[in-house]
Amino acid sequence: MSTNIAAQMNSVLAALVLLTAFGLLVQRRVYGLLHLFAWQGLFLSISTAVVGFVSSQHHLYISSVLTLALKVIVLPYILHTLIIRLKIHKEVETVVNVPATMLIGIALVIFSYHLTAPIRDLSTLVTKSTIAVALATVMLGLLMMITRRHAVTQIIGFLAMENGLFFAATSATYGMPLVVELGVALDILIAAFIFGIFFFHIRETFDSLDVEQMAMLKEED
Amino acid sequence: MSPFVLASFSILLLLFSLVLAPIFARRQRLLIYVSFTLAAFSSLTALAAGIWTVGKGSVESYILLLGLPELPFHLRLDPLSGFFLTVIGLLGLFVSIYSIGYVKGILSHRPVTSLVIFYNLFIAGMFMVIVADDAFFFLISWEVMAASSYFLVMFEDERAENRRAAFTYLLIAHVGAIAILLSFGVMAGLATGFESFNGYTFDAMRHAEFPVRWATAAFFLAFFGFAAKAGMIPLHVWLPEAHPVAPSNVSALMSGVMLKTAIYGIIRVTFDLVRIFPWWWGAIVLALGLITAVMGILYAIMQQDLKRLLAYSSVENIGIILIGVSLAMVFSSFQMPVFSALALTASLYHVLNHAMFKGLLFMGAGAVLHATGERNMERMGGLIHKMPWTSAFFLIGCISISALPPFNGFVSEWLTFQAFLLSPAVPSPLLKLLIPLGASLLALTAALAATCFVKAFGMTFLGQWRGHHPQHIHEADGTMKTGMILTAVTCLCLGILPTIVIGWMDTLTEQLTGGRLASTAGEFGWLWLTPISHARASYSAPLIFLIIPAVVSLVYLFLHIRKKAIHRVPLWDCGFQKITTRMQYTGTSFSMPLRRIFGFLFRIREDVRIEAPRHKAFPQKIHYRLRVRDRLWEWFYNPVADASFWLARRVGRLQQGRIQVYLIYSFVTIIILLVLL
C-alpha cells in the first residue's frame, strides 16, 4: 500500500469520524448515540491501524486493538447495561435548537482548520491533514456536553472528546508513547465505572438524570 | 559535634515525639509525661546549640536534599539564629516542665492528645523557622508554626468564642504570610532574575544588590507580613482574642516566643538580606513601634480579663522591641555601627527578657486559672493567702515587666533609653527633633506598664476574694512551680548580670551591624554596665540587687522592734468598718482615671441602670455595664470585612450551579486562549 493511498484512506476515515461527531451532536435517542459512539471508535481504530502500517510504528497496532476493545466493545457495553438498568432506553431527549448547534459546530470546524494551518505547513507526516479534524472532534465533544442536559449524553460527549484527543495524538505525532496510552485507556475505563456509580446516586437523589436538577445544590444567598 | 548537629537533633526529636502520640493515646497521663519531657529535653538541646553558636560566633550552613526536585532545603545556623534558638529553647524548656502539671489538670475535662501533638509540632516549627536559610523552607516552617498554633488556640473548640478567635488568628497570619511570600518573591527575582530559580536561597539574596525602590517594596511587604504575626498595631486584633482562649502554657509560648519569630524575620530581612537602606525606613518603623507601645499598654490597662491584659501587654512589648530595632536601623543607615549595635542589643535583650517575664506571667495566670477556673480579675482577689508561691512568681513577673531594678525588664528598657539619648548624634535635623519625642512616649509607656501591672497583681492577689466559690482554690503543683521558679530565677539573673549577656551577644551585633559593644559595656567587669562610656551612663545591677534587700530588711527590722508599729486590720476597708467583699476597690475603678484621660482613643460604652421601684432616692439595685472596644474594628476591620463579603457575593454570581454553564466557561476560555496564542 503506497503512502498516497494510505493518506487518502486516512482522510476518508477522518471525515467519517467528523461525521459521527456531528451525528452525536444532534442524535436524540440514547441508543442512537451509543451506536454512533461505537462507530466513531471503530473508525478511529482502523485509522490508527492504517497509520501504524504506513509509518511502521508497530506499537500503534496495540493502540488500535486497545481502542477497538475499549471504545467499540467494552464502553458501549457498559453504557448499554447502564441504560437498561436505569430504564432510560426509551427516553427521547429534547435537543434544543438543532440548526444553531450545527452552525456553531461548523464554525468550530472552520476555526480548527484555521488554527492548524501552520502545523499543516510544517508537518511532513502522512496524517497532517487530519489534525484539524481531530481538534474539531474535541471541540464538538465539548459543545455536546454544553448543549445536552442528560447525564448519560454528557458522558458520551466526554468520551467523544477523548476520542478526539486520541485522534489528535495519532495524527500529529504518530501517537503518544505506549505507556501514556495504556494509562489513558485505564483512566477512561475507570471513569466509565465511576460515572456508572454516580448515575445511580444522581437518580436516587434527584429522581432524574437531568443535570439541570443539580442547580438545586447551589447555596442560596 | 557542632551546634548545628545539636539543633537538628532537637528538631528531629520533636518530630519523632509526634509519632509517640498515637501509641500512648490510650494512656493520657503517660503521654503527658513522655511528650513534655521530650519537648523539654529538645528545648534544652536547642538552648545549648544556641548559646554555643552565639558564644563562638560560628556560621554553619547545610543543604538538605529534601523538598522539590532542583529546590533543596537550605539550613543555616548563625549567631542571629543562635540567639533566637536560645530564647525559644529557654522558654520552651521552662514551659514544657510547667505543662506537665498544667495539662494534667485539663485531663479531667477532656483528652489532651491533640494538645500534646500540636504543642510539640509548634515548637519544632519555631525551631525550623529559625534555622531556615531559603524562602521555600522558611515559608513551609512558618506555615507549620501558624497551623499548629491555630489548632492549639482551637483546643477547646466547643465554644464559639474560641473558634472565632482562632479564625481571626489564622486569617491575619495568612494575610501576613502572603506579604512575606511576595517580599521573598521580589528579592529572589532581583537576586538572580528569571533565568534561574536559585534566587530563593537567602544566600543569593544576601549577595544581591537591590535598587532602592524594589528594596523598599520588599522591606515593607516583609515588615507588614511579620508585623501581622508580631501583633503590631493596627494588625494586633488577633492577639487579644487568641491568647486568652488558648491553654495557658500555649499562650506563654505564643506570647513569649512565637511573636519573637516575627521579630527575627524583620531583623533577618533588614540587617541580613537587604543590608543597605535609607534612614526613613527606620523612622516609619519607629513611629509604628511607638504607637504600638503606647496603645498596647493603654488597652491593657482597660482589660478585666487577666490573660487579655497580658496579651495587650505583649503588644506593648513588641512595640518596645520594634523601637529598638528602628533605632538600630536609623543609626545603621547613618553609618554609626557602635550606636546601632547598642540599639540592636537593647532590642534583642528585650526579646529575651520579654520571653522570660511574659512566659512567667502567663504561667502564673495559668496557675490561677487552673486553681480558680476564673479569668476575670473582678471576681478574684486575696489569692496571695491561698497561692503564696504563684503570687510570689507573678509578682516577680510584674516587677520585671514594669521595668523596675534589679530585674531584667529594667536593663533592656534602660538600654533602649540609652540608644534614644544617643540620637543627637544623628546628622538629620528632623530626626533630632522627633526622636526625643519618642523617648518621652517610651517613658510614658513604662509608667503606664507599671500602673497596669499594679492593677493586675493587686486585683488578683491582694484584697479579698470577690468571687463565689473560694473553697476549691489550691496551690500549683510541683512541676508547675518548678517551671515558674526557673523562669523567675532566669529573670533575676538576666537582670543582675547584663554585662555577661551583652558580652555573649557581641558576635551577633558585630555580624549584623559591624559594631562591637562588649569592650565598652564591660569595661569595668561584671559589676558595672557602661554601654558607650562610663562618663555617659552606668548601671550596677549587682549593687542595686544587694542594696534593695538591705533596705527592705532594715525597714522590716525597724518596724518589728517596736511591736506597736504594726496593726492588723480588715483588708482594704479604707478606714470604714464592716464593708463587704463586694464593696472593695475594683480593677475598673483603678483604671478609671486613665479611662477618663485617654477615653477618646477607645470606644467606651457605659450604662448605668438604677432599679428604684419606690423613689429615685432609694434605689434597690444599680446595674453598671462597661464595654471598652478597639476603635480599629469599626475604622478598619469592619469595612474591610464588609467589602470582601460584598465582593464575594458579586463573584458568587458566576456560580450558577449548572454543569453546562461551567462547561461554557472552560470552552470559552479554551477558544480565547487558542485565538490569542
Side-chain angles (χ1 to χ4, degrees), chain B residues 23-32 107:
Chain B
I23 302 173
F24 289 113
R26 296 284 172 98
R27 309 180 62 186
Q28 297 263 313
R29 274 182 168 274
L30 192 62
L31 173 68
I32 291 172
L107 206 54

Side-chain angles (χ1 to χ4, degrees), chain B residues 445-504:
Chain B
T445 310
L448 289 174
T451 319
C452 176
F453 281 91
V454 166
K455 171 180 167 178
F457 185 77
M459 292 309 139
T460 314
F461 292 99
L462 305 182
Q464 296 179 44
W465 178 251
R466 299 179 180 80
H468 302 296
H469 308 290
Q471 62 271 30
H472 304 302
I473 298 168
H474 53 87
E475 178 59 281
D477 78 349
T479 48
M480 287 166 77
K481 266 192 270 184
T482 316
M484 290 193 280
I485 290 173
L486 289 171
T487 323
V489 169
T490 316
C491 278
L492 189 61
C493 290
L494 288 173
I496 298 178
L497 303 168
T499 8
I500 293 176
V501 182
I502 290 172
W504 168 71

Side-chain angles (χ1 to χ4, degrees), chain A residues 139 142 146 148-149 215 218, chain B residues 655 657 660 664 667 674-675:
Chain A
M139 289 194 187
L142 196 54
I146 291 171
R148 296 305 188 93
R149 305 173 50 178
K218 194 192 170 208
Chain B
Q655 262 186 323
Q660 279 90 347
I664 287 175
F667 190 59
L674 282 173
V675 169

Side-chain angles (χ1 to χ4, degrees), chain A residues 108 111 115 139 142-143 145-149 154 211-212 214-215 218 221, chain B residues 649 652-653 655-660 662-664 666-667 670-671 674-675:
Chain A
L108 285 175
F111 177 66
L115 211 61
M139 289 194 187
L142 196 54
L143 186 62
M145 287 180 82
I146 291 171
T147 51
R148 296 305 188 93
R149 305 173 50 178
Q154 292 218 319
V211 288
E212 295 276 301
M214 279 195 233
K218 194 192 170 208
D221 54 9
Chain B
R649 268 197 298 279
R653 291 201 185 159
Q655 262 186 323
Q656 295 286 331
R658 295 182 184 197
I659 290 179
Q660 279 90 347
Y662 298 139
L663 284 171
I664 287 175
S666 30
F667 190 59
I670 290 172
I671 299 282
L674 282 173
V675 169

Side-chain angles (χ1 to χ4, degrees), chain B residues 262-579:
Chain B
I263 299 293
Y264 164 79
I266 292 174
I267 295 179
R268 174 68 76 196
V269 168
T270 318
F271 290 94
D272 192 24
L273 302 185
V274 178
R275 295 181 323 283
I276 299 160
F277 40 81
W279 61 268
W280 57 269
W281 291 11
I284 290 178
V285 176
L286 177 63
L288 287 168
L290 284 167
I291 292 172
T292 306
V294 176
M295 291 300 288
I297 196 64
L298 281 174
Y299 278 120
I301 291 175
M302 301 301 145
Q303 303 309 315
Q304 285 141 28
D305 181 329
L306 183 56
K307 287 178 79 178
R308 230 177 141 82
L309 180 146
L310 293 178
Y312 270 118
S313 144
S314 296
V315 173
E316 175 234 337
N317 280 286
I318 287 294
I320 295 177
I321 294 166
L322 282 178
I323 289 170
V325 173
S326 67
L327 288 175
M329 286 169 71
V330 170
F331 290 134
S332 208
S333 61
F334 288 116
Q335 312 296 331
M336 301 177 185
V338 180
F339 292 2
S340 172
L342 171 65
L344 196 64
T345 307
S347 117
L348 288 176
Y349 208 139
H350 202 71
V351 165
L352 180 58
N353 290 341
H354 179 243
M356 287 303 114
F357 53 63
K358 189 48 65 64
L360 179 59
L361 287 169
F362 264 115
M363 286 193 258
V368 169
L369 181 64
H370 189 261
T372 62
E374 190 61 69
R375 281 196 337 229
N376 190 342
M377 284 188 287
E378 306 290 17
R379 291 195 220 119
M380 294 189 220
L383 291 177
I384 195 166
H385 301 293
K386 303 268 172 66
M387 313 176 72
W389 284 94
T390 307
S391 54
F393 301 138
F394 200 87
L395 182 61
I396 290 177
C398 288
I399 297 175
S400 307
I401 202 170
S402 311
L404 296 176
F407 287 96
N408 56 356
F410 176 75
V411 180
S412 45
E413 290 203 24
W414 186 72
L415 285 173
T416 313
F417 275 114
Q418 293 305 321
F420 263 123
L421 295 177
L422 291 170
S423 62
V426 166
S428 153
L430 182 68
L431 284 181
K432 266 187 206 169
L433 283 174
L434 288 181
I435 289 183
L437 200 67
S440 63
L441 279 178
L442 181 63
L444 174 68
T445 310
L448 289 174
T451 319
C452 176
F453 281 91
V454 166
K455 171 180 167 178
F457 185 77
M459 292 309 139
T460 314
F461 292 99
L462 305 182
Q464 296 179 44
W465 178 251
R466 299 179 180 80
H468 302 296
H469 308 290
Q471 62 271 30
H472 304 302
I473 298 168
H474 53 87
E475 178 59 281
D477 78 349
T479 48
M480 287 166 77
K481 266 192 270 184
T482 316
M484 290 193 280
I485 290 173
L486 289 171
T487 323
V489 169
T490 316
C491 278
L492 189 61
C493 290
L494 288 173
I496 298 178
L497 303 168
T499 8
I500 293 176
V501 182
I502 290 172
W504 168 71
M505 278 163 58
D506 212 29
T507 54
L508 166 55
T509 51
E510 196 192 358
Q511 220 162 57
L512 292 182
T513 62
R516 297 187 75 115
L517 207 60
S519 49
T520 51
E523 203 181 342
F524 296 89
W526 54 274
L527 193 58
W528 290 91
L529 174 64
T530 48
I532 295 298
S533 76
H534 66 279
R536 255 197 111 83
S538 56
Y539 165 60
S540 172
L543 281 183
I544 289 187
F545 176 60
L546 291 178
I547 289 169
I548 289 174
V551 172
V552 169
S553 43
L554 274 178
V555 171
Y556 185 83
L557 278 179
F558 178 69
L559 287 176
H560 273 253
I561 286 169
R562 303 182 306 137
K563 283 284 172 200
K564 283 185 181 171
I566 296 172
H567 295 275
R568 281 220 166 257
V569 289
L571 281 167
W572 286 21
D573 71 345
C574 304
F576 298 104
Q577 283 193 336
K578 292 177 186 165
I579 95 172

Side-chain angles (χ1 to χ4, degrees), chain A:
Chain A
M1 189 159 46
S2 78
T3 319
N4 203 10
I5 298 175
Q8 284 188 13
M9 268 181 78
N10 207 29
S11 297
V12 171
L13 287 165
L16 287 171
V17 168
L18 193 60
L19 189 66
T20 45
F22 271 100
L24 285 173
L25 207 55
V26 295
Q27 174 59 263
R28 290 162 61 189
R29 292 177 190 279
V30 184
Y31 266 144
L33 278 174
L34 212 53
H35 287 146
L36 279 171
F37 173 69
W39 278 110
Q40 195 180 40
L42 185 67
F43 297 140
L44 201 61
S45 155
I46 297 170
S47 146
T48 314
V50 169
V51 172
F53 179 76
V54 173
S55 62
S56 43
Q57 302 266 329
H58 295 292
H59 77 265
L60 281 182
Y61 291 137
I62 302 177
S63 299
S64 160
V65 173
L66 212 62
T67 312
L68 190 70
L70 268 180
K71 290 178 184 155
V72 186
I73 300 165
V74 178
L75 282 177
Y77 175 75
I78 292 176
L79 288 171
H80 187 262
T81 38
L82 257 178
I83 290 165
I84 301 280
R85 287 180 60 187
L86 289 167
K87 302 194 178 74
I88 48 172
H89 50 284
K90 284 180 189 154
E91 273 183 37
V92 176
E93 194 185 5
T94 46
V95 179
V96 285
N97 216 346
V98 175
T101 320
M102 291 288 273
L103 282 175
I104 295 174
I106 291 165
L108 285 175
V109 175
I110 294 167
F111 177 66
S112 313
Y113 267 96
H114 165 72
L115 211 61
T116 50
I119 307 177
R120 265 203 314 280
D121 293 343
L122 289 175
S123 175
T124 55
L125 302 182
V126 184
T127 49
K128 59 184 179 183
S129 56
T130 55
I131 300 175
V133 175
L135 189 61
T137 317
V138 175
M139 289 194 187
L140 289 174
L142 196 54
L143 186 62
M144 180 176 166
M145 287 180 82
I146 291 171
T147 51
R148 296 305 188 93
R149 305 173 50 178
H150 204 275
V152 178
T153 13
Q154 292 218 319
I155 300 315
I156 293 175
F158 174 77
L159 294 171
M161 248 173 86
E162 207 280 328
N163 277 350
L165 283 175
F166 181 81
F167 198 35
T170 330
S171 49
T173 61
Y174 286 155
M176 292 174 275
L178 191 61
V179 186
V180 180
E181 266 176 35
L182 286 175
V184 172
L186 191 69
D187 271 358
I188 292 291
L189 201 60
I190 289 173
F193 279 117
I194 293 175
F195 290 140
I197 295 163
F198 268 101
F199 286 158
F200 283 104
H201 281 283
I202 292 170
R203 204 181 51 157
E204 265 173 35
T205 316
F206 297 103
D207 233 359
S208 146
L209 276 175
D210 189 341
V211 288
E212 295 276 301
Q213 301 277 334
M214 279 195 233
M216 288 198 304
L217 290 174
K218 194 192 170 208
E219 188 184 358
E220 292 301 320
D221 54 9

